[in-house]
Amino acid sequence: MIDMDRKLGRWRLRVWGLVINLVANAIALFGIVAVVEGGSPALLIIGATLTVVCVAALAIPPRSDS
Amino acid sequence: MSDAPAGDARTRYPIADSIPRETLDAEVARLEALASRPLPARLWGYVKLGGPGFMGAALTLGAGSLTASMLSGARFGYKTMWMIWLSVGMGTFMLAVMVRFTCRGGFRVIREQNRRHGRIVGSFLTGIIGCLAVAVIFNAGQVSLGTHLIESLGGLAGVSFPTLVTAVAYAAITIWILLSYGRGGSRGTRFVETFMKVCIGLMLVAFGVSLALVGVDWGAALRGTFVPWLPPGGEGVDLFIASSAAAVGVMDWVFLHYAGLARGWGPKHEALGRMDIGVGLFLPFVVVNLLVIALFAGTFFGSGLAAPETAPELSRALAPLLGARGAEALFFLGFLAVPISTTVGMSLAGAMALHEALGWEPDVRSTRWKIAILLPQAGLIGAWAANPVWIVIVIAAFLSLSGNVVGWSMYLLFNDAAVLGEHRSRSYAWNLGIVLGITLMNAIAIVYVMNRLGWWFG
């Protein structure tokens, strides 16, 4: 299991996860607009996949030894 | 906390200081006795002992959320009912976090945010924008609805009230309730909580009776409650995001936390707090909204009748369709409980948040508390005019852009061993619920920016 409370640069991994999730959500929403307007689903697929990965990682609770 | 027994992690909150220790201990003893009772008796016991959850439901069931439900029923029939339980259901994960902070944290959340994440996140975004500004600005909508309903009730009795009279009546009722909070040991707080429970009961009876008169298409209602449906294209995405945003937000989180502290909740109250979220907040919110959607679906949807756009107009348009004059009066009375209880809840939340944001200790007898709690009465202007549009736009912008950041802050506190020690998050499912809620709030912020830039569906 990843230690989401390990420090990476300025912040903990958990904080980076929140930031990346926000970016992923934005990509997915741009993707939805593109699909509804008849464009390519590529952005939606990338954004949605990244969102699922971030959500799954952020849900990991702190380790018992933290 | 000098008089707290050993091992009692109860957080000192001045509003709870006037509650005698024996009262709090007796409540804990009743909770312990309830734990071994059969489920129905336990549930009823929790309903009687609960309060902050009911206050949260009464706060959330306001002019905004009910207007959304009325319009949804009139435009889409029963089809969007599923969004109600889903959106508030997702909000319950964060509400459970607030109960954990209250009962096990040993801190007051805005102050802890200030310490850990800075004053911009704690005092400003959570306290001032998320609670106080919302209370002051959005009370105008409650006043507007409330005064119109008093006017409609007078009309049924053949009396025509001038706006000044309805505004004074509205202010008198809400100020009387508000100034009772925290007075006389636990009596004042319990009085306000009971008032909020009665308001919810009145809504349930009034909308339930109205629905019985109008009739329900049970098949369509069941499908709408459990089978997801959205209008096609961008409208569907917009509707989902807007409905989710209306359900549970920063003010509900903060209010539940401080209302629990004001009741003197400690570690042994956590089970009560969770039940209070389920029975006091989730159930009433869902049932009242479902009743309202069904009511407008049964009368306006597919009938060819034009549904108005605002809550006062919608209620006036519906009342004559109920047939009996007594039913009209009951409908207006139940509907009046909506803005009154929301004004009371928002004013309390605003006053508590302002005190925390500025580092003041709340003293319900002080002039400072009274001024803070009466600030939202500025919304009385709503009796004569619509909301001042530019202020609403500015506050809505801050709210849309900051709700998710406050959510991040709460999630990080909950997952921080330095903050909660052994009571930090240990559950993947609980964290998952919180993160999904945060993701939805991210979407609200992003869609707000995209709308401003003209990038969101035309």
Side-chain angles (χ1 to χ4, degrees), chain B residues 143-182:
Chain B
V143 175
S144 171
L145 175 60
T147 50
H148 276 95
L149 289 166
I150 295 173
E151 206 178 302
S152 300
L153 273 167
L156 285 179
V159 185
S160 172
F161 292 125
T163 306
L164 182 64
V165 172
T166 57
V168 169
Y170 190 88
I173 297 167
T174 50
I175 290 172
W176 171 58
I177 303 292
L178 281 167
L179 293 181
S180 305
Y181 193 76

Side-chain angles (χ1 to χ4, degrees), chain B residues 67-106:
Chain B
T67 304
S69 289
M70 290 190 281
L71 288 173
S72 211
R75 287 187 62 193
F76 305 116
Y78 300 92
K79 292 177 184 167
T80 58
M81 287 173 128
W82 63 278
M83 280 196 290
I84 300 294
W85 62 262
L86 183 66
S87 55
V88 73
M90 278 177 66
T92 56
F93 291 95
M94 189 64 95
L95 291 169
V97 171
M98 304 318 290
V99 168
R100 171 63 58 89
F101 289 169
T102 304
C103 298
R104 309 266 186 184

Side-chain angles (χ1 to χ4, degrees), chain A residues 5 12 14-15 18-19 21-22 25-26 29-30 32-33 36-37 51 55-56 58-66, chain B residues 233-234 237 404 408 411-412 415-417 424-428 431-432 435-436 439 442-443 446-447 450 455-457:
Chain A
D5 297 293
R12 285 184 289 155
R14 207 173 280 287
V15 180
L18 288 168
V19 175
N21 186 40
L22 177 69
N25 302 157
L29 285 166
F30 276 105
I32 290 177
V33 176
V36 169
E37 291 177 352
T51 296
V55 167
L58 285 166
I60 298 170
R63 283 155 57 139
S64 52
D65 58 350
S66 62
Chain B
V237 184
N404 60 329
W408 294 13
Y411 159 83
L412 289 171
N415 280 277
D416 194 335
R424 67 187 180 278
S425 174
R426 288 166 184 274
S427 157
Y428 190 91
N431 262 358
L432 186 63
V435 176
L436 286 174
T439 301
N442 283 344
I446 295 160
V447 167
M450 289 166 80
W455 294 347
W456 184 251
F457 300 117

Side-chain angles (χ1 to χ4, degrees), chain B residues 165-220:
Chain B
V165 172
T166 57
V168 169
Y170 190 88
I173 297 167
T174 50
I175 290 172
W176 171 58
I177 303 292
L178 281 167
L179 293 181
S180 305
Y181 193 76
R183 296 292 189 98
S186 61
R187 280 204 312 276
T189 304
R190 295 311 295 262
F191 166 70
V192 177
E193 288 175 358
T194 305
F195 175 81
M196 301 295 242
K197 287 179 187 174
V198 170
C199 281
I200 290 172
L202 202 54
M203 292 176 214
L204 290 170
V205 170
F207 299 147
V209 168
S210 302
L211 188 60
L213 290 170
V214 166
V216 186
D217 178 347
W218 287 105

Side-chain angles (χ1 to χ4, degrees), chain B residues 275-288:
Chain B
M275 289 301 289
D276 207 23
I277 293 172
V279 181
L281 201 154
F282 177 84
L283 269 182
F285 183 88
V286 170
V287 175
V288 168

